[in-house]
Amino acid sequence: MSTTIAPQRSGPAPESRRRQILRLATAGSVDDGKSTLIGRLLHDTGSLPTDHLDAVTDDEGVADLAALSDGLRAEREQGITIDVAYRFFSTASRNYVLADTPGHERYTRNTFTGASNAHVAVLLVDARNGLQVQTRRHARIATVLGVPHVIAAVNKIDLVDYSAERFAEIEADLAELATQVGIDHILAIPVAAKDGDNVVDRSVNTPWYTGPTLLEYLEGVELVAPSPTTDELRFPIQWVSRPTDLHRRRYYGRLAAGRLHVGDSVTILPSGNSSVVTAVDTLDDDREFAVAPLSISIELADDIDVGRGDVIVSAAETAHAPVLARELDATVCWLSDTPLHAGDRVALKHGAATVRATVQSLERRLDPETLIEQVGPSSLGLNDIGVITLRTSSVVVADTYLENRDTGAFILIDESSNDTVGAGTITQAREVVPGKATRNDIKWHPSSLIRSERWQKTGQRGATVWLTGLPASGKSTVAVALERELVSRGRVAYLIDGDNIRHGISDDLGFSPGDRAENIRRVGHLARLFGDAGVVSIASMVSPLRSDREIARQLHHAADLEFIEVHVSTPVTECERRDPKGLYERARRGELKGLTGVDAPYEKPENPDLRFDTTGEDIEELAGRVLAVLVERGVLDG
Amino acid sequence: MSAEPVVDDLTDDLTDDQRVDDQPAEDVDHVAALRVLESESVHIIREVVAELERPVLLFSGGKDSIVLLRLAEKAFRPHPLPFPILHVDTGHNFDEVIEFRDRRVAPTPDNPGGIRLIVASVQESIDSGRVAESTDPSGSRNRLQTRTLLDALEAGGFDAAFGGARRDEDRARAKERVFSFRDEFGQWDPRSQRPEPWSIYNGRIRRGESVRVFPLSNWTETDIWRYIEIENLDLPPIYYASEREVFDRDGILLAVSPHSRPRDGEQVSTEWVRYRTVGDLTITGAVRSRATTIPEIIAEISDATVSERGETRADDRTSSAAMEDRKREGYF
């Protein structure tokens, strides 16, 4: 650790020392002139190399500025922008990154990408046509993305004879749109991008317009950046080095918020372990402190378990903590041709962490035409913006998007195609303690009986035996024998069979991974209620994924109920030989997709309470082994 | 909130010990913006190493790949670079560049192991019949590189390749994602690029597929030079002006070499020139210049009215979609 820190400069920075990168995104319908406007901005600021200009100038010397950023052959052939083009220019005071985004509805996902980091969104409006569906949709996207400044370039003002009246009409429509999407004000600038009116230079054709030109606006717009404080520290871990003889273990990542000093006490989430920072490297030199958004690496005083996806925050009592969330309310832009339904399962990438998530519910869908929100839609289609609730398979260290754009945003990935199918912003993150009511609009209605009284008076103690294993492994056979034995001993016991449950409670579910997870979730809750009532439930469920079984287990533990996980570990060859329902045969013939053990994974329990293989075993004896565990746990008397 | 670079703060924090009394305010200014770019690039490089199995860095010995290599080293220090670098050698190189390359990967006190260098040779691809050299005298080996590159990526089992491409170079490059997904044939499909909002990158691929990663996407030519200046990076000498033997072919000043000789009617002259970009000798043009220091070079490119590729790359002139076509085939 080397350099000493020079004393902090006091007082405000002199103007000349600031150099900000302003990110600008254009949006609007096809043919509104977005690409031309970008070309004009580059041209009139002298940022356009002559060879680039020559490349788009025809034999008569007429330059097609739109072609500058429509860099793909197909774009030039069709005269539309398909994908975001990034262009750059600098003025004396600022560096600009321009994202020229597509207007075509089919490529809205690219508009979303282009606008996600923007400080300023410029909505292009054709003066002749006024506001279009895409203008509204893009204004909405800009607000979902929290773009700090939204303005409108009312283009082709020359084609309405520089009419002040026409401009005023559009200004009024924009004011109404601003109210609808919840922005204070949308500044409108009359421009003719083709000729350059009011883009960089003030136009003599619009004497009635007294506001700034586009460039004047961009040069002057205030980029507010809150001063990062230690209390807001968010350091998501991207990569951890292995210690070597020469070097200790190091944690690498980019500060998403706040500042970090050598000597700071920090907490690692979600584990909650604490340590002290012993070294900070900010890349340009070993230093003793760093601020967001720098990429850094650090060392900690203690050798504790920290991995990719963990987030380091301040351990100070005054620190603002993120939520260790299992449930997220989010606004998403759906980017895939395949619609999103409730119950679907996706991978959610948030910071450096990727977790599985199930779509709990679709709350609303925005109609881009009317901006009216439809409540309880059955699905979200390509380019739809919707409000959804996601339940994650493990903890997400979350902030809301309003609080932090990095720790409040995520993408959704389809696990079979690996495509990015959605992008979202967190509006509310909830810590879900399984078994506790987490919705503040619904309260648990207490019974007048407490559990101990109920169990004592009825002589029944509830518990759940959860049998998991491949199809045809013998789960249900054991379950039936166990149920019979318990009832013969005078206990209330009930078999909850994975198939039976689909005749009623889950008759709305199919066999997609999301639906299967939902089915298991419902059985978990059902068994918990039965257990509370004093029933020993015997759930016989393939339940292939650890995360789903873990949710069921946690539900029981949170309710202080015994949960006995039994892994029926019969080998797949034996299961396939039995195959009473012909499932394996159909799967092998390719008629059945996603059969656990054939073309879908089965995650074995790591530490089940009991594990046995039913091959050649006496079923009564196996049921007896489960009974023995129930006795051991005090559910049954010996 | 945090996506907004806190430049004021960076200026404070990053420049205190770099600030010297006579340093113009404007320079301090640029440092902060460069540190933001640096931070973004390092974040991208680390993300690849965390998510993919076998990355490799494509290194040409040019200024962009020199900056890229420096960023990659910084991303993992004090640990050594966790992946090798790959040079696609066309056989038509500037000697100065090959010397520089070998010097750059050699062991140093900080990195006694040196950098692992893989050389993929276009000449070998030609000799083994994988590709056929164009018989057109104006044809270059640029297109041939693609096959050699794809073969080398496959042979090494690499599922991610870092490239030094910048979006300001070419309008097809301006369309690239940071994580550029390639199918099992290394092909780019510009119509189905993965959406890349914020700085969340999707690195998931299937076996055989790969990603090309462009950590310098948001850098401009000027940013590269300013970074070389503040980091005091070593460069091949051809970037600095000196007297060289050149001849003019269709407005491009080519060096006299065993691979590029003047044809009838092409006059050889000795001129003060330097190179703005490093590529094949046969297609990379020199620019007339007296700039022998980095500040002089920065002043020169700030005044230049012609782009880097326009001024120096003969191959991009052949078709308005030359770069797009090569990218679709698997070029980076």
Side-chain angles (χ1 to χ4, degrees), chain A residues 140-218:
Chain A
R140 184 65 196 160
I141 287 176
T143 52
V144 166
L145 288 169
V147 178
H149 307 278
V150 181
I151 63 167
V154 180
N155 194 21
K156 307 189 189 182
I157 198 75
D158 53 322
L159 300 183
V160 294
D161 298 324
Y162 306 101
S163 160
E165 290 72 31
R166 179 63 186 142
F167 181 73
E169 278 169 31
I170 294 172
E171 257 189 325
D173 290 346
L174 284 166
E176 197 185 324
L177 175 62
T179 314
Q180 273 183 308
V181 298
I183 321 175
D184 285 348
H185 176 61
I186 301 178
L187 170 75
I189 303 173
V191 304
K194 202 162 150 284
D195 305 320
D197 298 72
N198 294 328
V199 176
V200 170
D201 303 312
R202 185 157 292 279
S203 171
V204 293
N205 297 313
T206 53
W208 41 266
Y209 175 72
T210 54
T213 67
L214 178 59
L215 185 67
E216 282 166 7
Y217 172 81
L218 296 175

Side-chain angles (χ1 to χ4, degrees), chain A residues 391 431-439 444 525 528 554-555 558-559:
Chain A
R391 184 178 283 254
E431 186 177 352
V432 177
V433 179
K436 276 197 185 154
T438 49
R439 294 178 54 167
W444 185 266
H525 278 274
R528 183 178 61 102
Q554 284 184 24
L555 271 173

Side-chain angles (χ1 to χ4, degrees), chain B residues 64-82:
Chain B
D64 300 318
S65 58
I66 288 168
V67 166
L68 183 59
L69 179 55
R70 168 62 133 230
L71 291 167
E73 287 177 325
K74 282 189 163 199
F76 302 102
R77 74 179 192 186
H79 291 261
L81 203 62

Side-chain angles (χ1 to χ4, degrees), chain B residues 155-169:
Chain B
F158 298 117
D159 56 3
F162 293 104
R166 309 186 320 263
R167 284 169 173 159
D168 76 331
E169 284 179 80

